[in-house]
Amino acid sequence: MSVPVPEDLTFLPPFGYSHGWRDIVNDVSFDVDERRPLDTYTVVWQSDDTTALSLGQSVQVQAKASDPFREALDPVPGTDILFSGPGTVASSISRRSGQSTTISITAVGGAVTITHLQLRARPVPTARTVKVSAQDPVSVQRHGQRSNPDDAPWSNAHDAAAIAQLLLAHYANRRPTVSLRLVSSDTEHLMQILTRTISDMINIAHGELGLAADFHIESIEHTIARMPSDTEADSGCEKRVHYATLGCERTGLIVPPNPFTFDVAGLGFDDGVFDPSAADNPDAVFIFDHPVQGQFDTGRFGT
């Protein structure tokens, strides 16, 4: 969200600035595993470790399968739990779906020695792997091919396609980043330090860089430092100074002030631009069958 900032609010060095060239992503590709649950119960995990339990003693065993599973069964003594000794065992599991569960076993009626333990469930193995790809050809031609290094775990093909489009929309063009420091020199600065949160949008101006734009806060680091006193009266005393270092990324949306319109001098071809999707202001776009916005020279063409 955007939070108003006092115009005289200032930051202190160091001020870090990056043009954002290294963060460009214009080619996205994901390998997506499509899984299908099996109808039959099979052994999804087993262990042949030997465990000795005295009467009333319990043990918890972490069972992690190679694939996710569903509807796991409680281990059955004599089938899933092989043991010897005068006693018997009681068992339960902490969860029935996922990729891991905790098996709890208690010796009942006497001591037991467990020699084999297994977990049966309906596995959800990979049926096939599909590749989901998307590319921004304009950005590739301008900056060269810049691929996304990360994966999209636990997503299906449709989710992966949506993630790819979001990455291209966000990073196909460079996003400058800055790092600035706010020091609690007065009440206004202290309030800005204490009330800032991730995703807040702030306006940053830097005269030497010719920078004046909106940025989203991506990271916040608070520091309370001890500073030596500057006066003899306070000699031997130290002052505590609270400052915050903000990591910010420039907003990607740049709404032009003069979208392309008809019959307006200075807003013809090569003078205006077609409005981007995020500029579809319902109070300004062209709407058919509207008494005011449905008239030429009144509403704008949106997307």
Side-chain angles (χ1 to χ4, degrees):
M1 66 177 180
S2 178
V3 182
V5 181
E7 295 183 357
D8 58 347
L9 189 69
T10 58
F11 50 84
L12 296 179
F15 181 88
Y17 177 82
S18 173
H19 290 286
W21 296 113
R22 66 179 182 180
D23 298 323
I24 292 175
V25 174
N26 50 36
D27 180 77
V28 182
S29 179
F30 297 124
D31 290 328
V32 180
D33 293 334
E34 293 189 347
R35 297 180 178 272
R36 298 287 186 272
L38 299 183
D39 295 331
T40 58
Y41 282 91
T42 61
V43 176
V44 297
W45 175 88
Q46 61 183 343
S47 173
D48 292 323
D49 293 341
T50 300
T51 303
L53 299 177
S54 58
L55 174 62
Q57 185 180 0
S58 298
V59 66
Q60 285 77 41
V61 180
Q62 185 76 14
K64 184 175 182 181
S66 57
D67 287 315
F69 55 80
R70 300 171 60 187
E71 303 174 17
L73 301 175
D74 287 324
V76 177
T79 300
D80 301 309
I81 306 177
L82 301 182
F83 60 93
S84 60
T88 186
V89 294
S91 65
S92 63
I93 56 177
S94 61
R95 56 189 298 184
R96 301 192 180 277
S97 297
Q99 194 169 357
S100 66
T101 187
T102 301
I103 304 175
S104 298
I105 305 174
T106 302
V108 179
V112 296
T113 300
I114 300 172
T115 57
H116 179 79
L117 178 63
Q118 67 182 28
L119 177 71
R120 288 179 295 157
R122 294 176 56 193
V124 188
T126 299
R128 64 172 184 170
T129 300
V130 298
K131 183 176 288 293
V132 177
S133 302
Q135 191 178 79
D136 188 317
V138 175
S139 178
V140 171
Q141 183 179 9
R142 181 179 302 170
H143 306 297
Q145 184 172 341
R146 307 286 291 275
S147 300
N148 176 56
D150 300 320
D151 297 324
W154 304 110
S155 63
N156 58 35
H158 301 291
D159 293 336
I163 294 172
Q165 293 301 323
L166 289 173
L167 286 172
L168 293 179
H170 196 83
Y171 291 111
N173 296 305
R174 66 183 182 90
R175 291 285 190 93
T177 59
V178 302
S179 174
L180 58 88
R181 186 174 66 166
L182 294 177
V183 180
S184 57
S185 56
D186 51 39
T187 303
E188 292 288 350
H189 285 78
L190 179 61
M191 292 304 299
Q192 291 297 323
I193 290 175
L194 297 179
T195 58
R196 285 299 169 201
T197 60
I198 301 296
S199 81
D200 280 356
M201 186 171 69
I202 60 176
N203 184 272
I204 300 176
H206 193 289
E208 295 182 8
L209 294 175
L211 177 66
D214 290 330
F215 285 76
H216 280 115
I217 298 177
E218 298 291 329
S219 64
I220 303 175
E221 180 181 348
H222 291 274
T223 304
I224 299 179
R226 294 180 179 271
M227 304 294 290
S229 176
D230 295 331
T231 62
E232 294 183 0
D234 296 329
S235 177
C237 298
E238 294 180 333
K239 297 180 180 179
R240 292 183 177 89
V241 177
H242 183 190
Y243 65 89
T245 302
L246 308 181
C248 308
E249 182 181 72
R250 184 168 179 176
T251 58
L253 176 62
I254 302 176
V255 179
N258 59 335
F260 183 88
T261 50
F262 291 96
D263 301 327
V264 177
L267 295 183
F269 286 102
D270 298 328
D271 295 314
V273 295
F274 282 104
D275 227 358
S277 59
D280 283 348
N281 184 345
D283 297 326
V285 297
F286 186 90
I287 304 176
F288 288 99
D289 298 328
H290 190 281
V292 178
Q293 291 172 245
Q295 301 178 12
F296 285 104
D297 300 331
T298 302
R300 299 172 175 172
F301 277 105
T303 56

